[in-house]
């Protein structure tokens, strides 16, 4: 039997890796991107092994959410990864005032299309830990652990937040909440990922890898984002791109699954990340202004995904090693650091 799945945001960092894994596994993939006239993105997807026979491309923009319907039609699963990072109103659909309104409308429309299709068994949403702050609602410190009960309050004062980080956190939290409201109409899994590192099929460094290696590359804006995550979440949850994509396939292939699942293999402070960089690559120098010594006792309290049977293949050392090697390959680190 043909196994058709739809991946939105298929030409991005996670999307392209997921499409590669799905094609390798034998799925027929309906992949969406905003512009089928973009030779780089279309070329990347078409160059994947088995693309010639198993890949179909569709054009769809969240700012015109009905555009996802043809890509969803006939699929058994929808993996919704696309997310608007910049506010870019559609000329025919100018009503959304920011990325949050657009992302929520996108989620609503995709849920409706899944239900109307009559073929979609489950919708899997790529959520982010930026929606699961451990800060207490009263603004008085942190909760004891990070788990699925944690949510980022819309009005919270967030340290290190730039306008784009605030907009991202708001749109991810609002769209994840909107999606989970429909869990009694269709099976919905919200896979709430930590910061993803590792390899890429893209020719430039993915944003999340840039953040993860920002102390080694002395990248102040990336480090600001790392500190934003640390202040929002207590510490920083991280995982490897291969595990992130395999977790999506796991959530799809389980006979039944519904609800919110946090997904990360390690929960580290930024100072612990800096120490690990130096331990793996002793010639990496990290200036003191890129190391914040914090003493927090918050722990990772989510076991739901593991209890459902998912196993992480990549440990934190491999995640950082692959991310640093990628940084070197793509020109973010001038010298190839040697390993211990
Ligand atoms: N990387 C991480 O550490 C991480 C962690 C947690 C969650 N996530 C989530 O994982 C998903 C993928 O992230 P990523 O790291 O792979 O980022 P990415 O490389 O920037 O990919 C984002 C994708 O969203 C699509 N997109 C942007 N604006 C859109 C719009 N208006 N309409 C339709 N599609 C649009 C882009 O597609 P085109 O440019 O091809 O049109 C792109 O493929 C996102 O939902 C993100 O929130 C990522």
């Amino acid at each position: 039997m043909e196994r058709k799945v739809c991946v939105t945001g298929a030409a991005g960092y996670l999307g392209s890796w997921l499409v590669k894994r799905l094609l390798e596994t034998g799925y027929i993939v309906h992949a969406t991107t905003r512009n089928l006239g973009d030779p780089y993105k279309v070329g990347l997807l078409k160059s994947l092994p088995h693309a010639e026979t198993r890949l179909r491309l569709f054009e769809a923009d969240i700012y015109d959410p009905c555009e996802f319907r043809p890509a969803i039609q006939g699929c058994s699963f929808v993996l919704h990864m696309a997310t608007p990072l910049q506010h870019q109103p559609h000329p025919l659909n100018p009503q959304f005032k920011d990325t949050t309104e657009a992302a929520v409308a996108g989620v609503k429309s995709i849920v409706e299309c899944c239900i109307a299709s009559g073929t979609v068994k489950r919708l899997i949403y790529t959520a982010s830990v930026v929606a699961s702050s451990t800060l207490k609602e009263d603004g008085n410190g942190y909760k004891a652990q990070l788990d699925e009960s944690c949510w980022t309050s819309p009005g919270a004062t967030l340290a290190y937040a730039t306008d784009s980080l605030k907009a991202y956190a708001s749109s991810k939290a609002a769209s994840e909440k909107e999606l989970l409201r429909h869990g009694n109409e269709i099976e919905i899994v919200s896979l709430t990922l930590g910061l993803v590192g590792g390899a890429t099929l893209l020719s430039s460094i993915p944003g999340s890898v840039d953040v993860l290696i920002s102390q080694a590359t002395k990248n102040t804006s990336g480090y600001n984002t790392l500190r934003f995550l640390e202040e929002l979440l207590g510490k920083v949850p991280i995982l490897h791109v291969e595990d992130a994509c395999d977790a999506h396939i796991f959530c799809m292939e389980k006979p039944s699954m519904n609800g919110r699942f946090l997904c990360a293999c390690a929960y580290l402070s930024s100072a612990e990340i800096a120490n690990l960089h130096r331990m793996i690559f002793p010639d990496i120098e990290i200036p003191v202004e890129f190391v914040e010594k914090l003493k927090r006792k918050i722990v990772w309290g989510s076991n739901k995904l593991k209890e459902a049977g998912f196993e992480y293949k990549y440990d934190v050392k491999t995640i950082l090693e692959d991310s640093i090697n990628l940084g070197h390959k793509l020109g973010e680190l001038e010298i190839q650091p040697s390993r211990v």
Side-chain angles (χ1 to χ4, degrees), residues 251-283:
C251 292
M252 213 173 74
E253 292 183 341
K254 282 282 282 183
S256 172
M257 203 165 175
N258 215 339
R260 187 182 204 210
F261 295 80
L262 296 197
C263 182
C265 80
Y267 183 52
L268 301 171
S269 68
S270 60
E272 285 169 328
I273 295 173
N275 281 340
L276 280 162
H277 283 318
R278 287 188 287 226
M279 199 190 86
I280 304 167
F281 297 104
D283 45 358

PDB file of all heavy atoms in Angstrom, residues 251-283:
ATOM      1  N   CYS A 251       6.450   9.200  15.873  1.00  0.00           N
ATOM      2  CA  CYS A 251       5.102   9.669  16.248  1.00  0.00           C
ATOM      3  C   CYS A 251       4.079   9.346  15.160  1.00  0.00           C
ATOM      4  O   CYS A 251       2.888   9.239  15.423  1.00  0.00           O
ATOM      5  CB  CYS A 251       5.097  11.177  16.503  1.00  0.00           C
ATOM      6  SG  CYS A 251       6.023  11.626  17.959  1.00  0.00           S
ATOM      7  N   MET A 252       4.544   9.222  13.955  1.00  0.00           N
ATOM      8  CA  MET A 252       3.660   8.900  12.835  1.00  0.00           C
ATOM      9  C   MET A 252       3.348   7.396  12.813  1.00  0.00           C
ATOM     10  O   MET A 252       2.236   6.991  12.552  1.00  0.00           O
ATOM     11  CB  MET A 252       4.462   9.254  11.578  1.00  0.00           C
ATOM     12  CG  MET A 252       3.721   9.751  10.437  1.00  0.00           C
ATOM     13  SD  MET A 252       4.939  10.279   9.201  1.00  0.00           S
ATOM     14  CE  MET A 252       5.523   8.739   8.577  1.00  0.00           C
ATOM     15  N   GLU A 253       4.379   6.602  13.103  1.00  0.00           N
ATOM     16  CA  GLU A 253       4.232   5.148  12.905  1.00  0.00           C
ATOM     17  C   GLU A 253       3.613   4.429  14.110  1.00  0.00           C
ATOM     18  O   GLU A 253       3.217   3.267  13.988  1.00  0.00           O
ATOM     19  CB  GLU A 253       5.604   4.542  12.550  1.00  0.00           C
ATOM     20  CG  GLU A 253       6.054   5.010  11.162  1.00  0.00           C
ATOM     21  CD  GLU A 253       7.369   4.417  10.682  1.00  0.00           C
ATOM     22  OE1 GLU A 253       8.138   3.918  11.534  1.00  0.00           O
ATOM     23  OE2 GLU A 253       7.623   4.468   9.466  1.00  0.00           O
ATOM     24  N   LYS A 254       3.523   5.102  15.263  1.00  0.00           N
ATOM     25  CA  LYS A 254       2.850   4.477  16.412  1.00  0.00           C
ATOM     26  C   LYS A 254       1.395   4.219  16.030  1.00  0.00           C
ATOM     27  O   LYS A 254       0.759   5.084  15.404  1.00  0.00           O
ATOM     28  CB  LYS A 254       2.831   5.440  17.613  1.00  0.00           C
ATOM     29  CG  LYS A 254       4.126   5.547  18.383  1.00  0.00           C
ATOM     30  CD  LYS A 254       4.379   4.413  19.311  1.00  0.00           C
ATOM     31  CE  LYS A 254       3.607   4.480  20.612  1.00  0.00           C
ATOM     32  NZ  LYS A 254       4.000   3.337  21.497  1.00  0.00           N
ATOM     33  N   PRO A 255       0.836   3.075  16.412  1.00  0.00           N
ATOM     34  CA  PRO A 255      -0.560   2.814  16.039  1.00  0.00           C
ATOM     35  C   PRO A 255      -1.500   3.922  16.514  1.00  0.00           C
ATOM     36  O   PRO A 255      -2.442   4.281  15.822  1.00  0.00           O
ATOM     37  CB  PRO A 255      -0.865   1.481  16.727  1.00  0.00           C
ATOM     38  CG  PRO A 255       0.465   0.852  16.969  1.00  0.00           C
ATOM     39  CD  PRO A 255       1.469   1.952  17.107  1.00  0.00           C
ATOM     40  N   SER A 256      -1.230   4.468  17.687  1.00  0.00           N
ATOM     41  CA  SER A 256      -2.084   5.545  18.175  1.00  0.00           C
ATOM     42  C   SER A 256      -1.242   6.475  19.055  1.00  0.00           C
ATOM     43  O   SER A 256      -0.392   6.021  19.817  1.00  0.00           O
ATOM     44  CB  SER A 256      -3.230   4.915  18.983  1.00  0.00           C
ATOM     45  OG  SER A 256      -3.947   5.933  19.611  1.00  0.00           O
ATOM     46  N   MET A 257      -1.476   7.762  18.933  1.00  0.00           N
ATOM     47  CA  MET A 257      -0.700   8.730  19.728  1.00  0.00           C
ATOM     48  C   MET A 257      -1.419  10.062  19.689  1.00  0.00           C
ATOM     49  O   MET A 257      -1.958  10.450  18.648  1.00  0.00           O
ATOM     50  CB  MET A 257       0.697   8.859  19.113  1.00  0.00           C
ATOM     51  CG  MET A 257       1.747   9.356  20.073  1.00  0.00           C
ATOM     52  SD  MET A 257       3.399   9.063  19.422  1.00  0.00           S
ATOM     53  CE  MET A 257       4.373   9.871  20.672  1.00  0.00           C
ATOM     54  N   ASN A 258      -1.431  10.757  20.790  1.00  0.00           N
ATOM     55  CA  ASN A 258      -2.158  12.025  20.874  1.00  0.00           C
ATOM     56  C   ASN A 258      -1.538  12.858  21.991  1.00  0.00           C
ATOM     57  O   ASN A 258      -1.166  12.313  23.019  1.00  0.00           O
ATOM     58  CB  ASN A 258      -3.635  11.722  21.215  1.00  0.00           C
ATOM     59  CG  ASN A 258      -4.587  12.692  20.540  1.00  0.00           C
ATOM     60  OD1 ASN A 258      -4.195  13.796  20.153  1.00  0.00           O
ATOM     61  ND2 ASN A 258      -5.841  12.290  20.401  1.00  0.00           N
ATOM     62  N   GLY A 259      -1.401  14.169  21.798  1.00  0.00           N
ATOM     63  CA  GLY A 259      -0.979  15.034  22.897  1.00  0.00           C
ATOM     64  C   GLY A 259       0.368  15.698  22.680  1.00  0.00           C
ATOM     65  O   GLY A 259       0.927  15.707  21.592  1.00  0.00           O
ATOM     66  N   ARG A 260       0.870  16.266  23.795  1.00  0.00           N
ATOM     67  CA  ARG A 260       2.107  17.065  23.752  1.00  0.00           C
ATOM     68  C   ARG A 260       3.273  16.234  24.288  1.00  0.00           C
ATOM     69  O   ARG A 260       3.178  15.638  25.363  1.00  0.00           O
ATOM     70  CB  ARG A 260       1.897  18.296  24.645  1.00  0.00           C
ATOM     71  CG  ARG A 260       2.998  19.306  24.585  1.00  0.00           C
ATOM     72  CD  ARG A 260       2.753  20.463  25.530  1.00  0.00           C
ATOM     73  NE  ARG A 260       3.458  21.652  25.080  1.00  0.00           N
ATOM     74  CZ  ARG A 260       3.930  22.599  25.874  1.00  0.00           C
ATOM     75  NH1 ARG A 260       3.746  22.510  27.178  1.00  0.00           N
ATOM     76  NH2 ARG A 260       4.566  23.631  25.383  1.00  0.00           N
ATOM     77  N   PHE A 261       4.384  16.233  23.550  1.00  0.00           N
ATOM     78  CA  PHE A 261       5.559  15.463  23.945  1.00  0.00           C
ATOM     79  C   PHE A 261       6.797  16.341  23.821  1.00  0.00           C
ATOM     80  O   PHE A 261       7.148  16.767  22.713  1.00  0.00           O
ATOM     81  CB  PHE A 261       5.734  14.227  23.046  1.00  0.00           C
ATOM     82  CG  PHE A 261       4.619  13.229  23.175  1.00  0.00           C
ATOM     83  CD1 PHE A 261       3.400  13.426  22.517  1.00  0.00           C
ATOM     84  CD2 PHE A 261       4.768  12.100  23.974  1.00  0.00           C
ATOM     85  CE1 PHE A 261       2.362  12.519  22.655  1.00  0.00           C
ATOM     86  CE2 PHE A 261       3.733  11.184  24.108  1.00  0.00           C
ATOM     87  CZ  PHE A 261       2.516  11.394  23.452  1.00  0.00           C
ATOM     88  N   LEU A 262       7.466  16.649  24.923  1.00  0.00           N
ATOM     89  CA  LEU A 262       8.726  17.377  24.840  1.00  0.00           C
ATOM     90  C   LEU A 262       9.794  16.432  24.305  1.00  0.00           C
ATOM     91  O   LEU A 262       9.779  15.230  24.594  1.00  0.00           O
ATOM     92  CB  LEU A 262       9.162  17.898  26.209  1.00  0.00           C
ATOM     93  CG  LEU A 262       8.314  18.939  26.930  1.00  0.00           C
ATOM     94  CD1 LEU A 262       9.130  19.597  28.042  1.00  0.00           C
ATOM     95  CD2 LEU A 262       7.756  19.999  26.021  1.00  0.00           C
ATOM     96  N   CYS A 263      10.726  16.995  23.532  1.00  0.00           N
ATOM     97  CA  CYS A 263      11.708  16.145  22.857  1.00  0.00           C
ATOM     98  C   CYS A 263      13.096  16.777  22.937  1.00  0.00           C
ATOM     99  O   CYS A 263      13.361  17.795  22.278  1.00  0.00           O
ATOM    100  CB  CYS A 263      11.249  15.976  21.399  1.00  0.00           C
ATOM    101  SG  CYS A 263      12.288  14.931  20.392  1.00  0.00           S
ATOM    102  N   ALA A 264      13.971  16.204  23.758  1.00  0.00           N
ATOM    103  CA  ALA A 264      15.373  16.639  23.864  1.00  0.00           C
ATOM    104  C   ALA A 264      16.125  15.551  24.610  1.00  0.00           C
ATOM    105  O   ALA A 264      15.550  14.869  25.460  1.00  0.00           O
ATOM    106  CB  ALA A 264      15.485  17.958  24.624  1.00  0.00           C
ATOM    107  N   CYS A 265      17.417  15.390  24.286  1.00  0.00           N
ATOM    108  CA  CYS A 265      18.168  14.323  24.965  1.00  0.00           C
ATOM    109  C   CYS A 265      19.028  14.867  26.086  1.00  0.00           C
ATOM    110  O   CYS A 265      19.591  14.107  26.863  1.00  0.00           O
ATOM    111  CB  CYS A 265      19.007  13.538  23.976  1.00  0.00           C
ATOM    112  SG  CYS A 265      20.519  14.363  23.561  1.00  0.00           S
ATOM    113  N   ALA A 266      19.195  16.192  26.143  1.00  0.00           N
ATOM    114  CA  ALA A 266      20.006  16.773  27.226  1.00  0.00           C
ATOM    115  C   ALA A 266      19.440  18.132  27.591  1.00  0.00           C
ATOM    116  O   ALA A 266      18.802  18.792  26.760  1.00  0.00           O
ATOM    117  CB  ALA A 266      21.453  16.914  26.765  1.00  0.00           C
ATOM    118  N   TYR A 267      19.684  18.545  28.834  1.00  0.00           N
ATOM    119  CA  TYR A 267      19.175  19.827  29.355  1.00  0.00           C
ATOM    120  C   TYR A 267      20.349  20.469  30.076  1.00  0.00           C
ATOM    121  O   TYR A 267      20.718  20.040  31.181  1.00  0.00           O
ATOM    122  CB  TYR A 267      18.010  19.501  30.300  1.00  0.00           C
ATOM    123  CG  TYR A 267      17.279  20.658  30.916  1.00  0.00           C
ATOM    124  CD1 TYR A 267      16.775  21.700  30.150  1.00  0.00           C
ATOM    125  CD2 TYR A 267      17.051  20.687  32.300  1.00  0.00           C
ATOM    126  CE1 TYR A 267      16.061  22.750  30.743  1.00  0.00           C
ATOM    127  CE2 TYR A 267      16.340  21.717  32.892  1.00  0.00           C
ATOM    128  CZ  TYR A 267      15.852  22.751  32.101  1.00  0.00           C
ATOM    129  OH  TYR A 267      15.157  23.776  32.686  1.00  0.00           O
ATOM    130  N   LEU A 268      20.983  21.457  29.414  1.00  0.00           N
ATOM    131  CA  LEU A 268      22.275  21.967  29.891  1.00  0.00           C
ATOM    132  C   LEU A 268      22.244  23.471  30.062  1.00  0.00           C
ATOM    133  O   LEU A 268      21.565  24.174  29.297  1.00  0.00           O
ATOM    134  CB  LEU A 268      23.366  21.663  28.849  1.00  0.00           C
ATOM    135  CG  LEU A 268      23.595  20.200  28.478  1.00  0.00           C
ATOM    136  CD1 LEU A 268      24.549  20.124  27.292  1.00  0.00           C
ATOM    137  CD2 LEU A 268      24.168  19.438  29.661  1.00  0.00           C
ATOM    138  N   SER A 269      23.066  23.967  30.986  1.00  0.00           N
ATOM    139  CA  SER A 269      23.240  25.415  31.084  1.00  0.00           C
ATOM    140  C   SER A 269      24.203  25.845  29.970  1.00  0.00           C
ATOM    141  O   SER A 269      24.951  25.024  29.427  1.00  0.00           O
ATOM    142  CB  SER A 269      23.823  25.782  32.445  1.00  0.00           C
ATOM    143  OG  SER A 269      25.149  25.295  32.536  1.00  0.00           O
ATOM    144  N   SER A 270      24.200  27.153  29.653  1.00  0.00           N
ATOM    145  CA  SER A 270      25.119  27.618  28.599  1.00  0.00           C
ATOM    146  C   SER A 270      26.569  27.418  29.035  1.00  0.00           C
ATOM    147  O   SER A 270      27.442  27.142  28.210  1.00  0.00           O
ATOM    148  CB  SER A 270      24.830  29.075  28.233  1.00  0.00           C
ATOM    149  OG  SER A 270      24.991  29.900  29.371  1.00  0.00           O
ATOM    150  N   ALA A 271      26.844  27.525  30.340  1.00  0.00           N
ATOM    151  CA  ALA A 271      28.217  27.290  30.820  1.00  0.00           C
ATOM    152  C   ALA A 271      28.610  25.823  30.620  1.00  0.00           C
ATOM    153  O   ALA A 271      29.753  25.522  30.253  1.00  0.00           O
ATOM    154  CB  ALA A 271      28.328  27.670  32.294  1.00  0.00           C
ATOM    155  N   GLU A 272      27.660  24.909  30.826  1.00  0.00           N
ATOM    156  CA  GLU A 272      27.963  23.483  30.591  1.00  0.00           C
ATOM    157  C   GLU A 272      28.225  23.229  29.102  1.00  0.00           C
ATOM    158  O   GLU A 272      29.096  22.433  28.738  1.00  0.00           O
ATOM    159  CB  GLU A 272      26.793  22.614  31.084  1.00  0.00           C
ATOM    160  CG  GLU A 272      26.746  22.514  32.597  1.00  0.00           C
ATOM    161  CD  GLU A 272      25.449  21.892  33.129  1.00  0.00           C
ATOM    162  OE1 GLU A 272      24.371  22.068  32.508  1.00  0.00           O
ATOM    163  OE2 GLU A 272      25.517  21.244  34.177  1.00  0.00           O
ATOM    164  N   ILE A 273      27.480  23.925  28.238  1.00  0.00           N
ATOM    165  CA  ILE A 273      27.703  23.765  26.789  1.00  0.00           C
ATOM    166  C   ILE A 273      29.123  24.249  26.447  1.00  0.00           C
ATOM    167  O   ILE A 273      29.868  23.573  25.729  1.00  0.00           O
ATOM    168  CB  ILE A 273      26.626  24.528  25.975  1.00  0.00           C
ATOM    169  CG1 ILE A 273      25.251  23.895  26.228  1.00  0.00           C
ATOM    170  CG2 ILE A 273      26.958  24.526  24.477  1.00  0.00           C
ATOM    171  CD1 ILE A 273      24.079  24.646  25.612  1.00  0.00           C
ATOM    172  N   ALA A 274      29.513  25.418  27.004  1.00  0.00           N
ATOM    173  CA  ALA A 274      30.865  25.952  26.745  1.00  0.00           C
ATOM    174  C   ALA A 274      31.932  24.959  27.220  1.00  0.00           C
ATOM    175  O   ALA A 274      32.909  24.685  26.520  1.00  0.00           O
ATOM    176  CB  ALA A 274      31.036  27.290  27.458  1.00  0.00           C
ATOM    177  N   ASN A 275      31.728  24.381  28.406  1.00  0.00           N
ATOM    178  CA  ASN A 275      32.708  23.410  28.929  1.00  0.00           C
ATOM    179  C   ASN A 275      32.830  22.194  28.022  1.00  0.00           C
ATOM    180  O   ASN A 275      33.919  21.695  27.793  1.00  0.00           O
ATOM    181  CB  ASN A 275      32.307  22.936  30.330  1.00  0.00           C
ATOM    182  CG  ASN A 275      32.685  23.978  31.359  1.00  0.00           C
ATOM    183  OD1 ASN A 275      33.536  24.832  31.088  1.00  0.00           O
ATOM    184  ND2 ASN A 275      32.045  23.933  32.512  1.00  0.00           N
ATOM    185  N   LEU A 276      31.692  21.742  27.515  1.00  0.00           N
ATOM    186  CA  LEU A 276      31.729  20.569  26.633  1.00  0.00           C
ATOM    187  C   LEU A 276      32.443  20.890  25.323  1.00  0.00           C
ATOM    188  O   LEU A 276      33.222  20.078  24.823  1.00  0.00           O
ATOM    189  CB  LEU A 276      30.306  20.072  26.356  1.00  0.00           C
ATOM    190  CG  LEU A 276      29.720  19.233  27.490  1.00  0.00           C
ATOM    191  CD1 LEU A 276      28.211  19.139  27.374  1.00  0.00           C
ATOM    192  CD2 LEU A 276      30.322  17.830  27.471  1.00  0.00           C
ATOM    193  N   HIS A 277      32.200  22.087  24.768  1.00  0.00           N
ATOM    194  CA  HIS A 277      32.925  22.485  23.547  1.00  0.00           C
ATOM    195  C   HIS A 277      34.425  22.381  23.802  1.00  0.00           C
ATOM    196  O   HIS A 277      35.167  21.829  23.007  1.00  0.00           O
ATOM    197  CB  HIS A 277      32.618  23.947  23.175  1.00  0.00           C
ATOM    198  CG  HIS A 277      31.282  24.173  22.519  1.00  0.00           C
ATOM    199  ND1 HIS A 277      30.771  23.342  21.556  1.00  0.00           N
ATOM    200  CD2 HIS A 277      30.371  25.182  22.665  1.00  0.00           C
ATOM    201  CE1 HIS A 277      29.598  23.811  21.154  1.00  0.00           C
ATOM    202  NE2 HIS A 277      29.324  24.925  21.819  1.00  0.00           N
ATOM    203  N   ARG A 278      34.865  22.942  24.962  1.00  0.00           N
ATOM    204  CA  ARG A 278      36.306  22.965  25.259  1.00  0.00           C
ATOM    205  C   ARG A 278      36.833  21.565  25.554  1.00  0.00           C
ATOM    206  O   ARG A 278      37.982  21.264  25.259  1.00  0.00           O
ATOM    207  CB  ARG A 278      36.575  23.888  26.458  1.00  0.00           C
ATOM    208  CG  ARG A 278      36.429  25.356  26.074  1.00  0.00           C
ATOM    209  CD  ARG A 278      36.881  26.273  27.171  1.00  0.00           C
ATOM    210  NE  ARG A 278      35.935  26.286  28.272  1.00  0.00           N
ATOM    211  CZ  ARG A 278      35.493  27.390  28.872  1.00  0.00           C
ATOM    212  NH1 ARG A 278      35.939  28.565  28.489  1.00  0.00           N
ATOM    213  NH2 ARG A 278      34.635  27.325  29.855  1.00  0.00           N
ATOM    214  N   MET A 279      35.976  20.725  26.122  1.00  0.00           N
ATOM    215  CA  MET A 279      36.422  19.372  26.429  1.00  0.00           C
ATOM    216  C   MET A 279      36.604  18.551  25.147  1.00  0.00           C
ATOM    217  O   MET A 279      37.564  17.814  24.985  1.00  0.00           O
ATOM    218  CB  MET A 279      35.366  18.707  27.314  1.00  0.00           C
ATOM    219  CG  MET A 279      35.829  17.504  28.074  1.00  0.00           C
ATOM    220  SD  MET A 279      34.389  16.733  28.804  1.00  0.00           S
ATOM    221  CE  MET A 279      33.834  15.697  27.484  1.00  0.00           C
ATOM    222  N   ILE A 280      35.672  18.733  24.206  1.00  0.00           N
ATOM    223  CA  ILE A 280      35.748  17.939  22.964  1.00  0.00           C
ATOM    224  C   ILE A 280      36.859  18.482  22.056  1.00  0.00           C
ATOM    225  O   ILE A 280      37.585  17.726  21.422  1.00  0.00           O
ATOM    226  CB  ILE A 280      34.389  17.957  22.222  1.00  0.00           C
ATOM    227  CG1 ILE A 280      33.267  17.462  23.135  1.00  0.00           C
ATOM    228  CG2 ILE A 280      34.434  17.088  20.967  1.00  0.00           C
ATOM    229  CD1 ILE A 280      31.863  17.731  22.629  1.00  0.00           C
ATOM    230  N   PHE A 281      36.953  19.806  21.983  1.00  0.00           N
ATOM    231  CA  PHE A 281      37.948  20.446  21.108  1.00  0.00           C
ATOM    232  C   PHE A 281      38.803  21.387  21.974  1.00  0.00           C
ATOM    233  O   PHE A 281      38.490  22.574  22.108  1.00  0.00           O
ATOM    234  CB  PHE A 281      37.242  21.276  20.019  1.00  0.00           C
ATOM    235  CG  PHE A 281      36.384  20.479  19.082  1.00  0.00           C
ATOM    236  CD1 PHE A 281      35.001  20.491  19.193  1.00  0.00           C
ATOM    237  CD2 PHE A 281      36.956  19.727  18.058  1.00  0.00           C
ATOM    238  CE1 PHE A 281      34.214  19.764  18.312  1.00  0.00           C
ATOM    239  CE2 PHE A 281      36.176  19.003  17.185  1.00  0.00           C
ATOM    240  CZ  PHE A 281      34.800  19.011  17.304  1.00  0.00           C
ATOM    241  N   PRO A 282      39.902  20.884  22.554  1.00  0.00           N
ATOM    242  CA  PRO A 282      40.662  21.702  23.518  1.00  0.00           C
ATOM    243  C   PRO A 282      41.196  23.005  22.931  1.00  0.00           C
ATOM    244  O   PRO A 282      41.459  23.940  23.683  1.00  0.00           O
ATOM    245  CB  PRO A 282      41.806  20.780  23.939  1.00  0.00           C
ATOM    246  CG  PRO A 282      41.364  19.418  23.591  1.00  0.00           C
ATOM    247  CD  PRO A 282      40.427  19.517  22.444  1.00  0.00           C
ATOM    248  N   ASP A 283      41.375  23.114  21.611  1.00  0.00           N
ATOM    249  CA  ASP A 283      41.895  24.382  21.093  1.00  0.00           C
ATOM    250  C   ASP A 283      40.806  25.418  20.813  1.00  0.00           C
ATOM    251  O   ASP A 283      41.089  26.500  20.302  1.00  0.00           O
ATOM    252  CB  ASP A 283      42.820  24.168  19.872  1.00  0.00           C
ATOM    253  CG  ASP A 283      42.264  23.200  18.857  1.00  0.00           C
ATOM    254  OD1 ASP A 283      41.171  22.663  19.122  1.00  0.00           O
ATOM    255  OD2 ASP A 283      42.905  22.979  17.824  1.00  0.00           O
TER     256      ASP A 283
END
